[in-house]
Amino acid sequence: ASLTPASIIVNTTSTGLKGIISGVSYDGKTIRNNNQQLLQVYDAMGRLVTSGTNDIDMRGNAKGIYMIKSASGLMKIVF
């Protein structure tokens, strides 16, 4: 399956954090966690939706904007 980098929205100006998390990608359905690092996924209201060190399937969640946080950075995705 090809990954679509266009589906990843990055905001680095207001956060000062890296907009891309090394080893993490998003294909529109699944957050791929190639380095098995701890990822925390928050909804637009700031509520923790899920966390883990494996790939995260987003299909059970409501459509919307989500923030992915790790020790090395922050990403924003639109699901």
Side-chain angles (χ1 to χ4, degrees):
S2 65
L3 301 180
T4 52
S7 67
I8 300 172
I9 299 172
V10 178
N11 180 353
T12 57
T13 52
S14 64
T15 63
L17 298 172
K18 294 179 182 178
I20 303 289
I21 301 172
S22 178
V24 176
S25 60
Y26 178 65
D27 64 10
K29 297 175 188 170
T30 304
I31 300 167
R32 304 286 177 194
N33 189 2
N34 297 324
N35 296 339
Q36 284 75 46
Q37 58 192 308
L38 177 61
L39 299 179
Q40 297 171 311
V41 181
Y42 295 88
D43 66 14
M45 299 299 293
R47 295 177 294 226
L48 180 64
V49 174
T50 189
S51 64
T53 57
N54 296 315
D55 292 348
I56 299 172
D57 185 348
M58 293 297 291
R59 290 177 288 184
N61 296 297
K63 301 287 184 191
I65 298 170
Y66 291 87
M67 300 301 294
I68 305 167
K69 181 180 176 187
S70 78
S72 63
L74 184 69
M75 290 173 61
K76 182 168 77 173
I77 62 169
V78 177
F79 172 68

